[in-house]
Amino acid sequence: MSYLSVEPYEVRQEILIQARAAVQFLGVNDEGKDSIPVESLEPVKAGILNTVRNANPIFIDGQKSQPVL
């Protein structure tokens, strides 16, 4: 799910991803628990951030912007 908020001096996008979808998408071995193992947490966060950066460009007033993640 993605939420977009637009204010006069701020644009905010929040993306919610289920743990099950994240581990399946990134190929993490979750040992059948449908959760993110603690030892995989940092690599999963890095993988999600990399995917969002590459697959979800943000344009404001027709110009590409660099998000603060």
Side-chain angles (χ1 to χ4, degrees):
M1 295 181 78
S2 177
Y3 298 94
L4 183 66
S5 301
V6 179
E7 300 291 331
Y9 297 100
E10 178 181 71
V11 175
R12 176 183 294 262
Q13 181 182 33
E14 297 180 35
I15 299 172
L16 303 176
I17 299 174
Q18 292 179 333
R20 170 185 273 172
V23 296
Q24 288 175 347
F25 179 76
L26 296 170
V28 174
N29 182 7
D30 64 354
E31 302 169 358
K33 299 177 186 173
D34 295 328
S35 62
I36 301 171
V38 172
E39 61 274 4
S40 299
L41 189 57
E42 290 305 316
V44 167
K45 288 196 300 188
I48 290 170
L49 283 174
N50 188 40
T51 301
V52 169
R53 282 186 189 136
N54 293 328
N56 189 42
I58 302 294
F59 290 86
I60 299 173
D61 293 333
Q63 297 190 17
K64 190 170 182 177
S65 73
Q66 290 296 327
V68 176
L69 301 173

